[in-house]
Amino acid sequence: MDDQRTGGHGGPPVPVPREFFDEILPAIREIAEAKVLLAVYRLLVEPRWADGLLPESALYGDRALVRGIGPVAGSRPTDEYVRKGIDLALARGALLRVRVVVGEDAELWLLPGTPENRRRLHLIETGRAPFPSSVAVAGSARIEPERPNVFRLYEQNVGLVTPIIADQLIEALELYPESWIEDAIREAVSYNRRQWRYIQTVLARWATEGRGNEADRRHGRPATPFDPNRHLRGKYAPVFRRRS
């Protein structure tokens, strides 16, 4: 792996893939993603993760990461921002995530999204390479690639995640809470408006007017049901009369 090395304060050097500086860092707009990636590189230096895989749960329990995320998260739970950073890194391909399934139990593991690691996972998945020693397996086990939650939800309910849609989902993850995107997809399904443009407009409306009937409550107006057909009139009409 072609890497830059950073150390300091008596700790071991931390190898950072060159792709982080050349490709990933210039594209990052959400600080949580950068903090999560740097935490992954730092934790993988520890002897217990020397084989290059890190349990996702280790990030949520990492004190340095949680402390660094705190000022960004504000009043929101830090776990939410850690999860957001993970999903953005997964969506961008900066991280890879796999689900290791043993019987009825499953655990999520992360590793940097380098070409070497992609080849390594392919060999493990096809049985041509052994499971890493840090992944405790007993009896029959299998490994499954795991995509970001919003990617899976979109593919299951709307359509194929093309490169263009992937870029738009990444941008949405940077702008809105993940739960908003999930709820907007569900709303699109419930009104049979399975189009990215519809989902995008719902998110923009929530950002300006509030979620659900929040805006009506703030202004002392009675709650009114959401009318999906109102987007077929007025300024959004050209968007929703075209298929995405």
Side-chain angles (χ1 to χ4, degrees), residues 134-149:
S134 61
V135 181
V137 295
S140 177
R142 66 183 186 276
I143 189 169
E144 303 170 348
E146 184 79 1
R147 304 196 76 184
N149 293 337

Side-chain angles (χ1 to χ4, degrees), residues 99-112:
R99 179 185 298 271
V100 177
V101 182
V102 183
E104 296 182 357
D105 298 324
E107 188 173 8
L108 296 174
W109 294 75
L110 300 169
L111 64 167

Side-chain angles (χ1 to χ4, degrees), residues 118-200:
R118 293 179 190 280
R119 288 193 292 269
R120 181 187 183 196
L121 282 183
H122 177 69
L123 292 174
I124 295 173
E125 290 169 28
T126 55
R128 291 180 286 171
F131 276 85
S133 58
S134 61
V135 181
V137 295
S140 177
R142 66 183 186 276
I143 189 169
E144 303 170 348
E146 184 79 1
R147 304 196 76 184
N149 293 337
V150 294
F151 277 45
R152 294 199 313 274
L153 194 63
Y154 188 94
E155 287 185 326
Q156 291 166 358
N157 295 281
V158 182
L160 181 68
V161 175
T162 64
I164 292 175
I165 293 295
D167 287 342
Q168 291 172 325
L169 284 170
I170 291 172
E171 183 177 0
L173 280 166
E174 291 171 332
L175 293 173
Y176 309 109
E178 183 179 355
S179 60
W180 283 31
I181 304 171
E182 294 173 352
D183 289 346
I185 291 173
R186 294 186 181 100
E187 182 168 305
V189 171
S190 68
Y191 290 111
N192 199 27
R193 307 289 189 190
R194 299 169 190 256
Q195 303 170 2
W196 170 248
R197 287 190 181 93
Y198 180 89
I199 296 165
Q200 206 168 31

